[in-house]
Amino acid sequence: MTKSYYFTLIFPILLLFLGTSIIGTKHNNLSQETFIPVAILSILFIAVQIFSIKFRAKADQYLLSIVIFLSSLSAIMILRLKPDLFMHQLIWIGIGLIIFATVVFFADKLLDLLDYPYVLGIGALIIICSVLIFGTDINGNRNWIILGPIQVQPSEFAKLFIIAFLSSFLSENKNVLTLPSRGWKFLHFPPFRFLAPLLLIWSVAMLMFVSLRDLGSALLFFGIVIIMTYVATGKKIYVFLALFFFSLSSYLSYLFFEHVRTRVAIWLHPWNDPMGSAYQIVQSLFAFSYGGIFGTGFSFGFPLLIPEVHTDFIFAAIGEEFGLIGVSFLLLAYLLLFMRGVKTAFFCKNEKYKLLAFGLSITMLLQTFIILAGVTKLLPLTGITLPFISYGGSSMISSFISLGLLFALSTKER
């Protein structure tokens, strides 16, 4: 079995070297120096895999194998789309792998923080409020904090605190939330002090949507709360109420805020202004159409016509050059990652660990769905990243932290 884990590294490393060779050949700058950073990252892949097997022999090693494949794809796509950011992306992937190993090593102590749910909840609020105070508007979203040469997206880390808070809070108050003591006709609710934390997170999601113009994080936070609450309690009333208030708030936001109406107009009628405000989504749709079933071939498409293609729209670039077949394999990788995470949740006996494992797994899948729905016009455009693939340090690091916790939980109580 151990040999099979090492065997899974062959394809990602070959993909990394082959993609680098293709781009280097096309730009006539193929040299030994080109492969040095790629070789270093490959060695780091192998080293982290060996560490994970030696330190957590009974863990689900395929979790790491899937992510290494996604990271390799990320590296060659950034080299294709933004060559000047290639080294930065390799560095972020390397830092992410090191942080993954660190989280796995200190997992037991980190998981002890689940005993302090309100500290986690307050931590999430502090991170979100820091954006309200110190945030900078970039590409229409005020969800960044600039620290010298580094741009940090705090919402990527706030979601980890929210997942941990919900795992602890819902497991501790499951009985109260499952058996409401107050109600009106067919609506029954628990005491307000138990419902207040959930309402607070719903309110924060709407605040991010209206004030920070961060639709992606708002949908992600809102979805995390709904799904985890339903999984913990089994009560559909919470889902119904959450969707009702979110729909009402969204409608009111549409009436009173111009930027919300603009987003909806681009979503519903992109062809009214294909060369202006809707240019990005229109080019994304053209990319998928041009890619067809088999794709144009790596480096033979025109993804650079899409603004910010290396971040929000990297999935469109993959769809154009690898086609429907390549996109299907990518979606299969994310689905396998989710299934392995859910399997980990089933293995956990502790209710907090079970909810945490499920929360981390569903968040990766939900984040993937939101960004894919945005670039295919199924939902209005959002500003979140494709996990482990889009360019960005905040996204890469938070994703590897999630992976490290999930990896550690896969052996916690076996």
Side-chain angles (χ1 to χ4, degrees):
M1 183 64 72
T2 300
K3 292 182 179 179
S4 66
Y5 294 142
Y6 292 125
F7 180 77
T8 59
L9 290 174
I10 295 177
F11 179 71
I13 292 176
L14 285 177
L15 178 66
L16 194 57
F17 277 91
L18 183 60
T20 304
S21 301
I22 292 173
I23 299 300
T25 302
K26 183 173 182 179
H27 295 287
N28 295 320
N29 61 355
L30 192 64
S31 63
Q32 292 182 349
E33 290 74 14
T34 306
F35 293 101
I36 292 177
V38 173
I40 293 174
L41 182 61
S42 300
I43 293 172
L44 189 57
F45 282 160
I46 297 172
V48 172
Q49 186 80 69
I50 292 174
F51 167 83
S52 64
I53 291 176
K54 297 298 183 183
F55 190 73
R56 296 271 183 176
K58 296 182 179 180
D60 188 348
Q61 302 293 334
Y62 290 114
L63 288 170
L64 181 58
S65 300
I66 295 170
V67 168
I68 287 177
F69 160 71
L70 296 176
S71 300
S72 296
L73 180 60
S74 170
I76 64 171
M77 287 307 299
I78 297 301
L79 178 62
R80 163 73 177 101
L81 303 172
K82 289 283 184 178
D84 55 322
L85 297 178
F86 177 60
M87 283 301 302
H88 292 82
Q89 187 72 344
L90 292 186
I91 291 172
W92 285 124
I93 293 174
I95 292 174
L97 288 168
I98 294 172
I99 290 178
F100 162 80
T102 304
V103 170
V104 171
F105 186 80
F106 293 103
D108 292 340
K109 294 182 179 179
L110 291 174
L111 292 174
D112 287 341
L113 293 175
L114 293 177
D115 294 332
Y116 308 95
Y118 293 102
V119 172
L120 295 169
I122 292 173
L125 292 177
I126 291 175
I127 294 175
I128 294 172
C129 289
S130 68
V131 185
L132 291 172
I133 299 173
F134 305 107
T136 301
D137 193 311
I138 298 179
N139 297 327
N141 291 336
R142 190 167 173 263
N143 58 353
W144 298 86
I145 293 179
I146 298 179
L147 302 174
I150 300 176
Q151 297 175 356
V152 181
Q153 192 172 11
S155 59
E156 289 287 344
F157 302 99
K159 71 182 179 185
L160 298 178
F161 279 84
I162 290 176
I163 295 169
F165 163 74
L166 290 172
S167 302
S168 182
F169 176 81
L170 291 173
S171 62
E172 290 182 359
N173 300 283
K174 178 180 178 180
N175 292 334
V176 178
L177 294 171
T178 305
L179 302 173
S181 58
R182 301 178 184 181
W184 178 76
K185 292 187 177 181
F186 65 93
L187 298 176
H188 298 275
F189 306 100
F192 180 75
R193 68 179 183 275
F194 296 103
L195 197 59
L198 301 179
L199 293 175
L200 182 60
I201 297 179
W202 291 340
S203 302
V204 166
M206 288 310 304
L207 178 65
M208 295 185 69
F209 179 35
V210 173
S211 178
L212 304 180
R213 305 182 182 183
D214 190 357
L215 174 60
S217 296
L219 286 175
L220 183 61
F221 289 2
F222 185 74
I224 291 171
V225 175
I226 290 181
I227 295 174
M228 291 189 67
T229 302
Y230 176 71
V231 168
T233 64
K235 291 291 183 179
K236 297 179 182 179
I237 185 64
Y238 294 120
V239 178
F240 170 77
L241 290 176
L243 292 176
F244 172 76
F245 284 115
F246 189 81
S247 300
L248 178 62
S249 301
S250 299
Y251 178 70
L252 293 175
S253 300
Y254 177 82
L255 293 179
F256 292 106
F257 297 97
E258 178 64 27
H259 69 272
V260 177
R261 290 195 293 272
T262 302
R263 284 284 186 97
V264 174
I266 293 173
W267 171 46
L268 295 177
H269 309 289
W271 305 107
N272 289 348
D273 190 16
M275 299 302 294
S277 58
Y279 180 79
Q280 196 175 31
I281 184 62
V282 167
Q283 291 300 320
S284 175
L285 296 176
F286 279 139
F288 285 113
S289 176
Y290 190 54
I293 297 178
F294 300 101
T296 62
F298 184 59
S299 80
F300 288 97
F302 301 94
L304 296 180
L305 293 174
I306 307 174
E308 302 299 325
V309 66
H310 61 297
T311 55
D312 299 355
F313 281 81
I314 197 168
F315 183 73
I318 296 172
E320 180 177 1
E321 300 201 336
F322 293 93
L324 178 62
I325 294 177
V327 164
S328 299
F329 276 106
L330 178 60
L331 295 180
L332 180 61
Y334 280 112
L335 186 59
L336 286 174
L337 187 62
F338 169 71
M339 292 175 64
R340 306 298 296 194
V342 171
K343 182 180 178 181
T344 295
F346 281 129
F347 274 123
C348 293
K349 300 177 182 177
N350 186 302
E351 192 73 19
K352 293 180 182 179
Y353 298 158
K354 187 184 293 290
L355 280 175
L356 180 61
F358 177 79
L360 294 171
S361 304
I362 195 62
T363 299
M364 291 184 193
L365 187 66
L366 184 60
Q367 184 170 338
T368 302
F369 168 77
I370 291 173
I371 190 63
L372 300 194
V375 300
T376 56
K377 210 177 81 64
L378 181 62
L379 289 176
L381 273 177
T382 60
I384 61 176
T385 56
L386 190 60
F388 299 107
I389 290 185
S390 293
Y391 175 78
S394 299
S395 173
M396 193 65 69
I397 290 175
S398 66
S399 296
F400 271 104
I401 291 174
S402 299
L403 178 69
L405 292 172
L406 199 56
F407 188 86
L409 286 170
S410 67
T411 59
K412 182 65 178 175
E413 295 184 341
R414 288 193 178 186

